Amino acid sequence: MTDLGTTRRPFLSLTKAYSLLTKAQTTSAVVFSTFAAIHGVQLLAANVGGASLANHWLIVGRPFYQDEHMEGILVTGSAVTHVLTGLAKLGIRLYWNRNKQLTAAIAPPNNENNLLRYHGLAGYLLIPLAGLHYYLVRGLPIDYYGDSAFIDFGYIAWGLQNKSIFSYGLHTALIVAASYHMVSGIKYIFQRKPRPVVAVDSSKVPLNGRSVAVDQKATKQKKSVLIQKSVIAGLSLALVSSLVIISRDTKKIPLRLDFAKMYARII
C-alpha cells in the first residue's frame, strides 16, 4: 500500500503557532502593564511632592508587586514570557521571509500593522535595559543585604549624583524605550479585530483614483500616530523630570557607603 497523499499534517501549523504566541505575548503584556503602571505612578509622584512623596508611594505600592508570589507573576514571569514569545515570533517571521512561496500564502496578522514603526526595536532594546535595571535595583540589594524591600529612591539618587552618566543614561533610555513600546502596544491590544472591508461605490471614487473613505482612514491614522508620539514624549519627559527631582531632593543618604560598593560591581 502506498503512502502517497496520506502524509499527516503537522500537529501545530506555523500560522496557528504564531497566533497562540501572539495571544500569550499580549496576555503577558497586560499583566506586566499592571506592575509598570504602579511603578510609574510611584516615580511620577516626585513631580507632585518631591522625593519624599515618591518614597512614600514606593513603600506603599511595593507589596503589590514584590510579594513572594506576585513578583513571579506580575514582574519576572510576565516579562520573561513576553520576551520569549516575541523572540519565537521573530524566528517564525524570519522563516517566512526566507521562504518566498510560503510568505505569499501565509502572512502575519494585519492588525500588527497598528504598531508604531519602531515598536519591535524598542522591545529588543528593553531586554538589556530592563535586565540591567532589575539587576541594579533588585539583584544587587538582595545579594548584598539579602533583601531590597527597605531600599527607597535614595539608592537611585546616589547613582544619579555619583554615577551620573551611567545612571541618567540607563534610566533615560529605559524610560523612552518603555514609553514607546507600551504606548504603541496599548493601541494594538485594544484594536485587535480589524473592521470589515466595505465595498466602495465606483461613482463615489474621485478622478485621482482614491476614495474619500481611504483618504479619511489615512488622515485618521496619521492623527492617531501623532497622538501616540505626543503621549510618549509627555510621559518620557515627566518620568525623566522625576529622576532629576529625586536626585536634587535627596540630600542625606545614610547607606551611601554600601550603595557605592554595590554600584562598583557594575561600573
Side-chain angles (χ1 to χ4, degrees):
M1 181 180 293
T2 179
D3 292 333
L4 184 63
T6 61
T7 303
R8 292 184 178 181
R9 293 184 177 182
F11 173 74
L12 189 64
S13 65
L14 280 180
T15 50
K16 183 64 175 178
Y18 196 93
S19 176
L20 292 175
L21 287 170
T22 299
K23 291 179 180 179
Q25 188 180 38
T26 302
T27 302
S28 64
V30 173
V31 174
F32 187 82
S33 295
T34 303
F35 156 72
I38 296 174
H39 198 42
V41 169
Q42 293 169 334
L43 185 57
L44 288 172
N47 288 285
V48 179
S52 59
L53 183 61
N55 283 322
H56 171 74
W57 283 109
L58 180 66
I59 301 302
V60 171
R62 181 176 279 160
F64 290 100
Y65 57 82
Q66 280 191 2
D67 176 79
E68 180 181 359
H69 305 290
M70 292 302 294
E71 183 175 13
I73 299 174
L74 289 180
V75 186
T76 54
S78 59
V80 170
T81 300
H82 194 73
V83 170
L84 292 180
T85 52
L87 292 176
K89 289 174 62 179
L90 174 62
I92 293 177
R93 289 197 300 271
L94 291 175
Y95 175 76
W96 277 338
N97 292 334
R98 291 181 179 179
N99 294 267
K100 295 182 179 180
Q101 294 180 351
L102 187 62
T103 305
I106 304 173
N110 291 329
N111 53 359
E112 289 196 350
N113 294 328
N114 290 330
L115 299 171
L116 292 177
R117 182 177 182 180
Y118 299 109
H119 176 86
L121 176 61
Y124 298 136
L125 290 175
L126 281 173
I127 296 176
L129 292 173
L132 182 56
H133 174 74
Y134 183 82
Y135 176 69
L136 175 67
V137 302
R138 191 75 171 124
L140 283 177
I142 290 177
D143 186 47
Y144 194 88
Y145 294 114
D147 192 10
S148 66
F150 62 92
I151 292 180
D152 58 15
F153 281 118
Y155 180 51
I156 297 298
W158 187 94
L160 295 172
Q161 295 170 5
N162 297 276
K163 304 288 183 179
S164 301
I165 296 177
F166 168 76
S167 295
Y168 274 112
L170 169 63
H171 292 103
T172 299
L174 177 61
I175 285 171
V176 174
S179 298
Y180 188 98
H181 191 72
M182 295 186 71
V183 171
S184 172
I186 288 174
K187 180 182 177 182
Y188 172 70
I189 291 174
F190 290 101
Q191 293 185 4
R192 294 188 54 77
K193 293 183 179 180
R195 295 180 180 179
V197 179
V198 180
V200 179
D201 188 353
S202 59
S203 62
K204 296 182 180 180
V205 178
L207 295 177
N208 61 6
R210 291 176 59 88
S211 67
V212 176
V214 172
D215 288 336
Q216 289 178 343
K217 182 178 180 180
T219 302
K220 184 178 180 180
Q221 186 173 5
K222 289 181 180 179
K223 183 178 180 180
S224 176
V225 171
L226 181 61
I227 292 174
Q228 284 181 291
K229 291 182 178 180
S230 299
V231 172
I232 292 168
L235 181 60
S236 298
L237 183 61
L239 289 169
V240 171
S241 69
S242 297
L243 293 177
V244 176
I245 293 171
I246 288 173
S247 176
R248 293 182 176 181
D249 274 5
T250 306
K251 305 298 183 181
K252 297 181 180 180
I253 306 177
L255 298 175
R256 59 187 179 279
L257 297 179
D258 290 345
F259 294 167
K261 294 178 181 178
M262 292 159 65
Y263 271 86
R265 296 187 182 184
I266 297 180
I267 183 172

